[in-house]
Amino acid sequence: ATRYTLIRKLPPVLHFSVQRFIFDFENMTRKKSKADVQFPSVIDMGRWIGEGDEGSRQHDISSEQNVYELRGVLLHKGASAYHGHYEAQVYSSDEHKWYQFNDEIVTETDLQPKGSNKKQASSTCTDAAQNGARAFNSRDCYCLIYARRNSEHACFQLEMPSRDVQARIDALNEDLQGRCDDYNTTLKQQLAEFESLRMEKQRIYNTWQISNIQEPFRIISLRALQLWLQRGFPENISDKTKDDRSALGQEWNREVPLIQCLHGRVDPSFAADIRVVKVASFNALMVSHADLFAQEGMWELCIDCTQLLLRERIYSQDHMKDVEEFRVVEEEDNECVMITDEAFWISKNWLRDWTLSKPKMHIPGLPDPGPEKEPFQSHVYCEHGNLTLSEGSRVRIGPKSLSFIQGLFPEWEPPLTSSESCVLCESYAASDSAMKEEAVAVSVKERESLRILKSMNPLTNGKIVLTGVTYALIPTNWVRSWMSWIGEPRRHSRPADVDNSIFLCSHDLLALDPCDATSLMNTDLSLVTLMQWEKIVAHYPGSGPLITLKRVQDEGLVCEGRGSCRECLLTSDSNKSEDCDVFIHILEKSDDTPTLESHNQVRIAMAANPSMLPSPSTRVMSRRSKRLRGEKGFLRLTCVSATRKSSILLLLCQTSLQEGVRLQDQTFYYEGKEITDESTTLEELSFSSGDLLQLVIERGARSNAMVIELESDDDTLGETSKRRKVPPAEGRAFQGTLLASA
């Protein structure tokens, strides 16, 4: 059997794709072939027409129906097969011309026939040449378009538009022509204005330079001249020209102090930002641009600043000369000191700074301070007028260096390197060293005795209160000071006795509420065990008074032997800021209705685990508590920021955005009572910061909640309890759009 392709009938238009892009099997990449492809202007396709089933030709191979003429060539410019630029050459049958299309640029062109020096053409091109047709060649063509000769498709005749359409086209053409005429008129006008303005500005700046220093002049800012050159040209002309000029003037007025000195005159240090012009040129500028140059005619160069600048330049030159000479003398001294051992002490900081090209100690207009001035004097002499103990702040110099520096600073009298150090400073240093060694010994002893305080650091244990364990309150600052002291006893002082009076009010009662979750979140308060407290009192006998807290089952935290002062707590709440944090216990409609008992149970759980409470930045947090939730075992809490003037409606809106539920599907409860009036404020409820609201929502499980589940089944949160993140439950997948059912 033979498998072949048979062409029986050809379409009116043929597209021949040139194999311009090939695959390189050596590099395993696509590449573009730059071979010169030859193609005829006329091609006879009769020879490729196959026979029908009856064995006879469907058409006469010599028929004009099989002759095609070239009508278009698609070109690919570029050497890469992955990118390039596309162009097209199209033949107009009406005009009998070829046109080149390069993006929006259309130009008339002519396809050049192949040259006589080319290689032998193909048989198709040879036959076309014998029939009088031309043959072409190209290195960029990748698609050839031929149309059947003498057919209606050979020339694409456009139908004439109707009268209405032609009228609209004529109107659009007339409008376009009018716009073009207006544009040309405006362009000519602007060009004339531009040329006139350019000549005017050129006339001014070509003549504003003074010929000699004796000629009268005015000082003008370079920025003002730049604004003057930019102003008034056609690209800036608009209906807001006056506003633009006013804005430019205001901009310049803001920049005026930048080149003025403290005396209100021109600062010579800004010489690169100013220009000197003739008086006549300045008057010409003032005629039409007074807003830019109004205050510049009064400017004068500041004589005081000029003298100061001149003195600074002289100082810079003389200083560098002195430093170079000192370097030479210093090298000679280095050899001399090694032989004679005669040297003197000088401040290391002063010598390092003075040898810089621009000393930091130098103040413009004033002489440099000598080594005998403070703070450099204290680097060599102590407070008793003797040599200091520290040699790190001073360096040695030889006698020649001494003579050179004393020639510049005659009042300086340095000590010899053989001088004895201060006896008083040595005794003080010895006493201080003994005290530090004693402090180190005490710190080592306390570190061993209070090892439990260091291992169970109250600053990092999260203030977790276990059931049945008694805790003592201590100030956080004392714990922090004690930790710093035992870490570096030579650097830090030993803390004083623990003072717990800051936790008591004037009635000798607690100034905080242990059942309030926010009280234990106070950063000034730390918790230690009773054993740790006894160890602290052993080393700091004056510590006290003892304030103990203990978690009792079903009662929460209680203070043993000392109650909270309700009067001071109420006064403190009234003096607090308007901002407050609101804890919200989230319940489902299927849960039990909130009561005062359930409200108190949640408050007890919050007080027992203050470190696990959510913050306003946390979305939702949960913990296991079978006692609170029964079999479900979850307590879901969230926290929002509000003020005492915030209404329940505002809280409903916040929880609606946070939980993704409607306003009508939420109900707030406070202390077991439903809040029916949405305009009620937190202040009217006597709500304090850190208090609790219970929210009942009518919907299923939350899809965006972050749940923290405890691996322990115990209701209490021990120090070794672990947490793991539980991913949110999956919701319903995407079910498509309404178009899917169409």
Side-chain angles (χ1 to χ4, degrees):
T2 303
R3 181 177 180 179
Y4 60 93
T5 301
L6 181 65
I7 301 177
R8 295 181 178 177
K9 187 178 181 180
L10 295 174
V13 179
L14 297 180
H15 290 258
F16 292 94
S17 179
V18 181
Q19 194 175 2
R20 181 64 68 186
F21 306 103
I22 60 177
F23 190 83
D24 189 353
F25 286 94
E26 294 183 0
N27 300 327
M28 300 303 291
T29 57
R30 295 176 65 240
K31 62 184 297 185
K32 178 182 177 181
S33 174
K34 295 294 290 183
D36 195 1
V37 177
Q38 299 177 354
F39 51 94
S41 61
V42 179
I43 183 173
D44 187 0
M45 295 295 296
R47 71 180 68 183
W48 288 287
I49 300 298
E51 298 180 353
D53 296 337
E54 296 80 4
S56 60
R57 298 271 187 165
Q58 284 191 344
H59 343 278
D60 185 2
I61 61 175
S62 62
S63 174
E64 288 291 330
Q65 195 173 9
N66 297 323
V67 178
Y68 289 81
E69 296 178 339
L70 183 65
R71 288 294 180 263
V73 180
L74 300 183
L75 306 176
H76 177 271
K77 300 295 184 67
S80 175
Y82 296 94
H83 53 79
H85 181 65
Y86 293 90
E87 298 181 7
Q89 295 174 334
V90 181
Y91 180 75
S92 174
S93 301
D94 294 338
E95 302 178 5
H96 302 287
K97 295 180 181 180
W98 283 91
Y99 289 94
Q100 182 91 8
F101 290 81
N102 181 8
D103 292 339
E104 72 277 4
I105 302 175
V106 180
T107 57
E108 184 179 348
T109 185
D110 185 18
L111 293 183
Q112 298 295 331
K114 67 182 183 68
S116 59
N117 57 345
K118 299 293 181 181
K119 296 182 179 180
Q120 184 65 30
S122 62
S123 60
T124 303
C125 294
T126 304
D127 295 343
Q130 294 175 356
N131 296 331
R134 295 190 300 174
F136 308 98
N137 60 283
S138 174
R139 294 180 179 270
D140 296 320
C141 67
Y142 75 95
C143 188
L144 306 174
I145 303 173
Y146 288 85
R148 182 177 292 155
R149 175 184 289 179
N150 297 331
S151 66
E152 60 180 358
H153 300 283
C155 300
F156 299 96
Q157 299 291 342
L158 298 178
E159 296 184 2
M160 295 300 297
S162 62
R163 293 182 178 179
D164 295 338
V165 174
Q166 187 64 41
R168 294 184 59 185
I169 293 175
D170 295 340
L172 292 175
N173 289 337
E174 184 178 355
D175 180 67
L176 176 61
Q177 186 62 38
R179 291 173 181 269
C180 293
D181 295 340
D182 294 341
Y183 171 79
N184 293 330
T185 303
T186 305
L187 180 60
K188 292 180 180 179
Q189 181 181 358
Q190 290 184 348
L191 289 177
E193 294 178 1
F194 173 83
E195 186 64 21
S196 174
L197 189 60
R198 187 180 68 84
M199 295 299 296
E200 178 186 355
K201 293 181 181 293
Q202 187 177 9
R203 178 182 57 82
I204 295 177
Y205 67 68
N206 282 341
T207 59
W208 66 25
Q209 293 186 358
I210 60 176
S211 56
N212 56 77
I213 195 63
Q214 303 298 331
E215 186 178 357
F217 62 87
R218 292 290 184 270
I219 298 177
I220 299 179
S221 169
L222 179 61
R223 177 58 179 163
L225 293 177
Q226 291 174 349
L227 294 176
W228 169 72
L229 289 174
Q230 296 173 4
R231 178 180 289 184
F233 283 106
E235 58 267 23
N236 294 330
I237 293 179
S238 63
D239 296 337
K240 300 181 180 180
T241 303
K242 296 183 179 180
D243 297 337
D244 294 342
R245 290 185 177 182
S246 177
L248 288 173
Q250 294 176 2
E251 178 184 359
W252 161 238
N253 291 335
R254 290 195 299 268
E255 296 184 8
V256 167
L258 295 179
I259 61 175
Q260 285 183 333
C261 66
L262 299 177
H263 311 99
R265 294 184 288 269
V266 177
D267 192 341
S269 60
F270 294 98
D273 299 328
I274 58 178
R275 292 294 182 269
V276 176
V277 300
K278 293 181 178 180
V279 176
S281 299
F282 177 79
N283 295 333
L285 292 174
M286 287 288 295
V287 172
S288 57
H289 304 279
D291 56 331
L292 289 180
F293 307 101
Q295 49 186 319
E296 299 199 4
M298 303 300 295
W299 282 9
E300 296 179 359
L301 194 63
C302 183
I303 303 300
D304 297 334
C305 293
T306 304
Q307 294 176 350
L308 177 62
L309 183 61
L310 180 60
R311 287 196 300 266
E312 287 301 310
R313 291 184 178 180
I314 296 175
Y315 162 80
S316 179
Q317 296 175 1
D318 294 344
H319 177 73
M320 291 305 301
K321 181 180 179 181
D322 293 340
V323 171
E324 291 176 0
E325 294 179 0
F326 176 77
R327 294 299 187 190
V328 176
V329 174
E330 188 179 26
E331 291 180 0
E332 297 177 357
D333 265 341
N334 290 337
E335 300 177 357
C336 179
V337 170
M338 294 176 61
I339 300 175
T340 62
D341 289 336
E342 184 181 5
F344 302 87
W345 291 117
I346 189 173
S347 172
K348 180 191 293 185
N349 291 345
W350 183 92
L351 188 62
R352 183 191 301 116
D353 191 6
W354 183 77
T355 53
L356 297 176
S357 58
K358 295 181 179 180
K360 299 179 182 178
M361 69 176 81
H362 177 71
I363 300 176
L366 298 178
D368 290 340
E372 75 282 357
K373 303 295 184 181
E374 290 295 340
F376 310 109
Q377 176 79 356
S378 59
H379 298 163
V380 179
Y381 292 97
C382 66
E383 57 184 356
H384 309 106
N386 300 320
L387 192 64
T388 59
L389 300 180
S390 175
E391 295 187 6
S393 60
R394 58 181 187 263
V395 291
R396 300 169 181 240
I397 60 172
K400 294 184 179 180
S401 300
L402 172 65
S403 301
F404 184 85
I405 296 178
Q406 283 184 335
L408 300 176
F409 306 96
E411 299 180 0
W412 177 57
E413 292 293 339
L416 290 170
T417 55
S418 58
S419 303
E420 297 292 336
S421 301
C422 181
V423 179
L424 294 177
C425 291
E426 289 180 351
S427 62
Y428 291 155
S431 176
D432 186 60
S433 177
M435 294 176 60
K436 289 183 178 179
E437 293 301 326
E438 183 181 355
V440 171
V442 174
S443 66
V444 172
K445 183 178 179 180
E446 287 193 16
R447 186 186 297 111
E448 285 294 324
S449 178
L450 296 177
R451 184 183 304 173
I452 187 173
L453 183 62
K454 186 172 179 59
S455 60
M456 300 175 61
N457 188 355
L459 302 177
T460 59
N461 64 6
K463 300 179 183 177
I464 299 176
V465 182
L466 302 179
T467 304
V469 180
T470 303
Y471 295 86
L473 295 182
I474 60 173
T476 301
N477 289 337
W478 186 92
V479 180
R480 189 176 291 110
S481 300
W482 185 82
M483 290 290 183
S484 301
W485 176 67
I486 64 171
E488 295 180 288
R490 291 185 177 87
R491 181 180 178 184
H492 300 282
S493 302
R494 185 172 183 263
D497 297 334
V498 179
D499 184 12
N500 283 340
S501 60
I502 60 174
F503 303 126
L504 303 178
C505 67
S506 58
H507 308 96
D508 200 26
L509 297 175
L510 277 181
L512 54 90
D513 185 6
C515 295
D516 188 358
T518 58
S519 297
L520 295 183
M521 297 173 63
N522 190 350
T523 56
D524 297 332
L525 179 150
S526 296
L527 297 179
V528 296
T529 62
L530 194 59
M531 181 183 300
Q532 292 174 328
W533 172 260
E534 293 174 353
K535 295 283 187 180
I536 293 174
V537 173
H539 293 278
Y540 300 88
S543 300
L546 174 62
I547 303 175
T548 59
L549 293 178
K550 186 176 181 180
R551 181 183 177 189
V552 181
Q553 191 71 21
D554 298 333
E555 294 185 13
L557 286 176
V558 295
C559 181
E560 298 180 339
R562 197 184 301 268
S564 301
C565 183
R566 296 300 175 185
E567 180 181 353
C568 294
L569 289 177
L570 292 176
T571 305
S572 176
D573 289 341
S574 61
N575 293 333
K576 287 182 180 178
S577 62
E578 293 295 326
D579 298 333
C580 63
D581 294 337
V582 181
F583 290 96
I584 301 176
H585 178 209
I586 302 175
L587 299 170
E588 303 290 344
K589 188 66 175 179
S590 58
D591 296 330
D592 297 334
T593 303
T595 61
L596 179 60
E597 181 181 2
S598 64
H599 180 273
N600 293 334
Q601 287 178 345
V602 176
R603 289 293 306 273
I604 292 173
M606 292 170 56
N609 305 286
S611 62
M612 301 291 291
L613 295 178
S615 62
S617 60
T618 306
R619 290 189 59 81
V620 177
M621 301 183 67
S622 306
R623 67 210 47 160
R624 172 172 291 181
S625 178
K626 291 183 178 180
R627 178 173 57 83
L628 294 179
R629 294 292 305 277
E631 296 180 356
K632 294 185 178 180
F634 289 97
L635 171 63
R636 298 190 302 189
L637 289 176
T638 185
C639 183
V640 297
S641 296
T643 63
R644 299 183 184 279
K645 301 296 183 180
S646 299
S647 63
I648 297 299
L649 179 60
L650 179 60
L651 295 179
L652 288 173
C653 295
Q654 293 188 31
T655 54
S656 175
L657 295 175
Q658 182 171 336
E659 299 299 319
V661 294
R662 300 179 301 176
L663 295 178
Q664 56 268 31
D665 294 338
Q666 304 178 73
T667 305
F668 270 115
Y669 289 80
Y670 180 62
E671 295 183 348
K673 297 181 181 180
E674 181 181 355
I675 304 176
T676 57
D677 188 3
E678 297 179 351
S679 61
T680 304
T681 62
L682 296 178
E683 186 177 14
E684 295 174 354
L685 295 175
S686 300
F687 193 94
S688 60
S689 180
D691 210 340
L692 176 71
L693 290 176
Q694 292 179 294
L695 174 65
V696 178
I697 55 179
E698 299 183 12
R699 63 174 177 82
R702 293 173 298 139
S703 60
N704 58 352
M706 182 186 72
V707 180
I708 296 181
E709 181 181 356
L710 300 180
E711 295 182 355
S712 173
D713 291 336
D714 190 8
D715 292 349
T716 61
L717 299 178
E719 295 181 2
T720 59
S721 297
K722 299 180 179 179
R723 296 183 295 173
R724 63 185 181 90
K725 290 186 178 181
V726 180
E730 290 189 9
R732 186 180 180 187
F734 179 64
Q735 303 297 321
T737 63
L738 296 176
L739 297 177
S741 59

